[in-house]
Amino acid sequence: MQGSISDKTQINIETATHDSHHEHPDFRIFGLIVFLVAEGMIFLGLFIAYMAFRAMAPEWPPAGTPKLDLLLPGVNTVVLIASSLVIHQADAAIKKNDVKGLQLWFGITALMGIVFLGGQLYEYSHLEFGLRTNLFASTFYVLTGFHGLHVTVGVLLILSVLWRSLKSEHYGTNNHFGVEAAEIYWHFVDVIWIILFILLYLI
Amino acid sequence: MTAELSIPTQGPAEDDIVHNPRRWQDYFTFSTDHKVIGIQYFVTGFIFYIIGGLLAEGIRTELATPDPDLVDPATYNSMFTMHGTIMIFLWIVPAGTGAFANYLLPLMIGARDMAFPKLNAVAFWIIPPTGLLLMASFFLGPAQAGWTSYPPLSLLTGKVGEGIWIMSLLLLGTSSILGGINFFTTILKMRIPSMSMMQMPLFCWAMLATSLLMLIATPVLTGALILLSFDLIAGTAFFNPAGGGEPVVYQHMFWFYSHPAVYIMVLPFFGVISEVIPVHCRKPIFGYGAIAYSSMVISFLGLIVWAHHMFTSGTPPWLRMFFMITTMVIAVPTGIKIFGWLATMWGGKINLNTPMLFAMGFISTFVIGGITGVMLAAVPFDIHVHDTYFVVAHLHYVLFGGSVFGIYTGIYHWFPKVTGRHINDTWGKIHFALTYIGFNVTFLPMHILGLQGMPRRVAMYAPEFQGLNQVCTYGSYVLAISTVPFLVNAIWCAYKGDKAGSNPWNALTLEWQTTSPPQIENFEVLPVLTTGPYDYGDTAEVEEPAKVFTTSG
């Protein structure tokens, strides 16, 4: 862009050295965290709704609701928490420019996520109540389902990072936003599950 | 803020700069330019404003007589449902946050664009298809349960319309959240290095407070709508007492968003008024810090007042007291702003042009809406007038008298910046006079109707209310006609108006220090602050300082 500025205008010499198509610093991680705060508010709203339903019900879960089995969801919880540790190894690897390490750890995380989702589907198919059985059943399915949707998105994110990492030098020590974003999102999904597990299964 | 001042009168000389003006086709593209997106938001919003306004005229015409003679009651229900939904979600929210914030924020803080331009375009392009989706429900039996869509009523009246309504709001909420991420990040991270938080124009403070509400409150509505859609489509009973559900939980979740939404709809215009008044009164804003922080306080308090909409929903007495007190307390930061504006005008060289008239109109009507708001906060009074026309009067005084007057204030003020041309001031004043008179004739009598017990959301009413209702109806026609001089004036002057130059108001904020319309990427070189945003009257170049300072102490 050519043209001159009237010399009476205040010009900062330092900023003037930037050309007009300069890139501003990368705020994508900041933006992602802000987004996850908003996303967390959806869950918070649903959690509080669940607690309100529970507080207002004369009996919770309503009479006749079959007991939830703890073994499978317990294992699932361990898998998901462990996967958060695994995905962190990928982050450490890419910071050392180790793309193979990134692929290994992301691959394992994706597998663990798929195991979690499989476990959840298995649990759904063996539960003795359906979506419409009673208020507890409805909240159970909607809350775990909405979380499961987030796990699915997380797995897809991880797989797309894996796909991109096949291109040489797509990720490196100084260029790993995708890796970091997928990791932060995965931790978020993990934290939500822990709260959900405590709410639905333990108390 | 330093007193040294040399920016105001000279922006870059107009002819020196080679910049490609936008062509009309650009406004139909997935443009990532915040200025294009701002205009896209405004024009889209204004089209929906006209649609929502026509619905309002239909409602008023129906209410000219006590009988349901224009439309049947079911159609009437759909009309006020769609009127409320369109005006709130497709006009005021997109115009305030989408149009003004997108256009102005980067310019005001010396940035070349928003932090996430593509996200910005995505947030806008969610709106037109969603608007069309909502309009499509006119042909499929629109929702009838009011813009609040309380279950179980909303589960009983027409599945298709209600489903479309829920879907539309989920999408518009998503757009709003994406916008909020952008505004929040842009304000915090994109300011030029020489601008500290306390040197930001007050519009940026207002938008910071607004974006926090968009990010914290909107997702809870999303949660409520997800549960409502399951009730509607999958047959669950979260909010359906027939299946053991609890409708009050929906009300809590809905108002946890929708009360803050009131501030999402008015805080941006508090910002607009704070920009406009110092410029046209040639005086520094009175109490910069107080106005800036009061936005943040409103934002915080706005999150803990929601249940005042539910005093009649079986809310326990101690909870009523809590929400009554927090609601009344919110008048304090709002009052601080109003005193700040009045003190800015006091002794200033007030230029009674159209933006200033609309700003004064804003203050006068918003004060009335604010006072009735405090009245409604009082539990005994609220229970008495709940669901009457008093509430309708109150909400229109804040949403029309507040938000829409704020939109017009901003449009007349920034028109020369956006188009590079002056808008005709005489026709602007005619527009103002018609709007102000039409508005007050329409909505002032509703206070009395409400106190006399006329219920809202009903197509029929007792015959003794007819006189005042006819006054309201005639007022609404004046209000409808008032839009015509604005539209003609704005469209004509955008192409044929006198050239305005970079800084026709001799304003100090950064958006005036570049070309009109601002060039692509806003600034040839990034500006540096040499003056605070409101240091008017500090230099003989612009004013005679003596006149200003005799009254400022």
Side-chain angles (χ1 to χ4, degrees):
Chain A
M1 204 169 281
Q2 59 174 62
S4 67
I5 294 272
S6 154
D7 55 7
K8 279 176 267 171
T9 310
Q10 297 292 311
I11 298 170
N12 182 323
I13 303 304
E14 273 171 69
T15 47
T17 56
H18 289 263
D19 75 295
S20 49
H21 297 281
H22 80 297
E23 293 278 322
H24 61 71
D26 192 342
F27 301 130
R28 286 178 293 177
I29 293 290
F30 183 85
L32 176 71
I33 291 169
V34 176
F35 170 74
L36 289 179
V37 168
E39 200 68 7
M41 282 304 296
I42 304 185
F43 280 105
L44 189 65
L46 293 173
F47 292 160
I48 291 174
Y50 172 82
M51 289 191 274
F53 289 138
R54 186 184 174 132
M56 290 184 201
E59 194 186 343
W60 194 266
T65 313
K67 268 267 172 218
L68 285 167
D69 183 28
L70 268 181
L71 179 65
L72 179 63
V75 172
N76 247 351
T77 307
V78 173
V79 169
L80 203 61
I81 294 175
S83 73
S84 252
L85 303 172
V86 171
I87 201 170
H88 190 67
Q89 300 304 310
D91 189 58
I94 198 64
K95 279 181 180 149
K96 287 185 228 134
N97 213 6
D98 174 9
V99 178
K100 283 271 171 283
L102 163 74
Q103 287 164 342
L104 172 70
W105 296 116
F106 257 50
I108 296 175
T109 313
L111 270 180
M112 293 170 97
I114 292 166
V115 167
F116 176 88
L117 287 170
Q120 207 173 30
L121 285 178
Y122 182 86
E123 191 192 7
Y124 278 6
S125 61
H126 287 74
L127 281 174
E128 289 161 40
F129 52 79
L131 177 65
R132 276 178 286 186
T133 304
N134 58 35
L135 195 54
F136 170 76
S138 304
T139 46
F140 175 86
Y141 278 108
V142 169
L143 281 172
T144 54
F146 193 53
H147 175 264
L149 187 70
H150 281 73
V151 178
T152 312
V153 171
V155 169
L156 292 174
L157 280 176
I158 290 169
L159 291 177
S160 64
V161 169
L162 264 180
W163 174 255
R164 287 180 164 197
S165 73
L166 297 176
K167 238 195 303 180
S168 68
E169 298 191 7
H170 190 84
Y171 296 113
T173 311
N174 299 319
N175 177 25
H176 52 271
F177 164 73
V179 178
E180 230 175 321
E183 189 198 348
I184 291 171
Y185 184 85
W186 196 251
H187 291 322
F188 168 78
V189 168
D190 198 8
V191 169
I192 294 291
W193 175 255
I194 293 170
I195 303 170
L196 203 55
F197 184 70
I198 294 170
L199 267 184
L200 290 177
Y201 292 90
L202 298 186
I203 56 173
Chain B
M1 293 171 201
T2 63
E4 144 195 26
L5 179 90
S6 49
I7 287 183
T9 46
Q10 349 96 6
E14 200 78 2
D15 303 332
D16 290 353
I17 288 184
V18 182
H19 62 135
N20 315 337
R22 290 284 179 194
R23 296 162 306 148
W24 65 268
Q25 296 96 321
D26 293 345
Y27 295 95
F28 293 87
T29 62
F30 188 82
S31 171
T32 55
D33 181 348
H34 72 99
K35 300 185 290 298
V36 173
I37 294 174
I39 291 169
Q40 286 173 326
Y41 264 112
F42 184 78
V43 174
T44 313
F46 206 89
I47 292 167
F48 285 114
Y49 176 49
I50 293 171
I51 298 172
L54 290 173
L55 284 168
E57 295 309 321
I59 292 168
R60 278 318 320 168
T61 308
E62 162 56 45
L63 290 176
T65 58
D67 302 316
D69 38 18
L70 181 74
V71 290
D72 62 287
T75 311
Y76 180 83
N77 291 347
S78 299
M79 281 165 74
F80 71 70
T81 300
M82 294 297 270
H83 165 73
T85 308
I86 290 169
M87 289 304 201
I88 290 169
F89 294 103
L90 289 167
W91 161 233
I92 296 178
V93 172
T97 62
F100 281 97
N102 264 315
Y103 200 97
L104 294 172
L105 277 180
L107 284 162
M108 283 182 166
I109 61 175
R112 301 207 181 278
D113 208 314
M114 301 288 282
F116 308 112
K118 269 186 207 146
L119 190 71
N120 204 12
V122 170
F124 167 72
W125 280 106
I126 290 174
I127 290 180
T130 308
L132 291 177
L133 176 70
L134 193 64
M135 296 305 110
S137 74
F138 276 119
F139 305 100
L140 302 164
Q144 293 183 29
W147 81 278
T148 51
S149 208
Y150 276 11
L153 177 65
S154 53
L155 303 172
L156 303 172
T157 50
K159 250 188 183 173
V160 178
E162 187 62 27
I164 290 178
W165 185 90
I166 293 174
M167 190 67 214
S168 306
L169 257 69
L170 281 172
L171 288 165
L172 294 170
T174 307
S175 159
S176 187
I177 292 170
L178 299 181
I181 295 169
N182 234 331
F183 304 139
F184 187 71
T185 311
T186 306
I187 296 167
L188 289 186
K189 299 278 187 187
M190 300 279 285
R191 300 189 309 276
I192 44 168
S194 54
M195 184 185 281
S196 70
M197 292 288 276
M198 294 311 283
Q199 287 164 328
M200 291 195 305
L202 286 163
F203 179 77
C204 304
W205 274 105
M207 274 317 297
L208 184 64
T210 311
S211 64
L212 278 170
L213 289 176
M214 293 161 89
L215 291 167
I216 293 171
T218 319
V220 178
L221 177 71
T222 307
L225 293 174
I226 290 171
L227 297 183
L228 189 65
S229 63
F230 269 92
D231 277 7
L232 185 77
I233 296 160
T236 55
F238 293 111
F239 304 130
N240 195 345
E246 196 47 78
V248 173
V249 174
Y250 174 84
Q251 296 185 18
H252 277 290
M253 294 177 88
F254 178 82
W255 288 114
F256 184 82
Y257 164 72
S258 293
H259 194 78
V262 172
Y263 298 104
I264 293 173
M265 288 185 278
V266 87
L267 273 168
F269 305 109
F270 286 170
V272 166
I273 300 299
S274 306
E275 296 303 319
V276 169
I277 286 184
V279 173
H280 298 287
C281 296
R282 311 311 303 168
K283 257 187 74 186
I285 189 95
F286 183 90
Y288 173 92
I291 293 180
Y293 290 134
S294 64
S295 292
M296 304 307 285
V297 173
I298 289 174
S299 178
F300 169 72
L301 287 175
L303 288 167
I304 52 165
V305 299
W306 75 89
H308 65 218
H309 294 271
M310 301 165 54
F311 286 156
T312 57
S313 304
T315 314
W318 63 272
L319 210 58
R320 283 177 171 179
M321 284 308 115
F322 172 79
F323 283 106
M324 175 170 113
I325 291 164
T326 52
T327 307
M328 288 184 167
V329 168
I330 226 170
V332 175
T334 315
I336 287 173
K337 282 181 189 296
I338 288 169
F339 281 116
W341 297 327
L342 294 180
T344 308
M345 286 161 65
W346 181 264
K349 279 170 50 178
I350 299 177
N351 182 1
L352 279 181
N353 52 18
T354 316
M356 192 63 204
L357 284 172
F358 267 108
M360 289 159 79
F362 172 98
I363 296 174
S364 62
T365 47
F366 192 82
V367 163
I368 295 176
I371 289 169
T372 52
V374 177
M375 290 166 77
L376 286 166
V379 177
F381 183 79
D382 180 79
I383 290 171
H384 181 65
V385 297
H386 188 88
D387 262 345
T388 69
Y389 261 79
F390 193 85
V391 177
V392 178
H394 160 72
L395 76 91
H396 283 96
Y397 264 83
V398 285
L399 283 184
F400 198 115
S403 306
V404 179
F405 274 65
I407 290 171
Y408 282 136
T409 308
I411 288 302
Y412 281 101
H413 181 70
W414 281 291
F415 191 90
K417 177 50 62 184
V418 176
T419 62
R421 292 171 190 276
H422 281 294
I423 188 161
N424 184 297
D425 201 49
T426 309
W427 280 102
K429 284 174 179 162
I430 293 168
H431 171 218
F432 170 75
L434 287 172
T435 310
Y436 197 77
I437 294 166
F439 168 78
N440 281 296
V441 173
T442 310
F443 295 109
L444 202 60
M446 289 185 187
H447 290 107
I448 305 163
L449 285 169
L451 289 173
Q452 290 175 346
M454 179 174 159
R456 66 190 285 207
R457 295 184 166 173
V458 185
M460 292 164 276
Y461 54 84
E464 67 258 33
F465 298 136
Q466 190 173 8
L468 281 175
N469 265 296
Q470 284 187 331
V471 174
C472 296
T473 300
Y474 290 130
S476 78
Y477 295 153
V478 177
L479 204 48
I481 291 164
S482 77
T483 316
V484 177
F486 167 71
L487 267 182
V488 174
N489 194 7
I491 293 169
W492 177 265
C493 291
Y495 295 99
K496 303 279 177 199
D498 301 332
K499 289 257 184 194
S502 325
N503 194 356
W505 309 122
N506 281 329
L508 292 174
T509 40
L510 290 180
E511 78 270 24
W512 299 102
Q513 316 312 329
T514 184
T515 47
S516 301
Q519 56 193 310
I520 289 167
E521 301 219 312
N522 298 346
F523 301 98
E524 190 73 10
V525 281
L526 288 181
V528 64
L529 290 187
T530 53
T531 166
Y534 307 110
D535 292 348
Y536 298 105
D538 282 6
T539 166
E541 210 178 330
V542 189
E543 311 291 335
E544 301 108 38
K547 269 192 183 170
V548 176
F549 280 112
T550 45
T551 48
S552 67

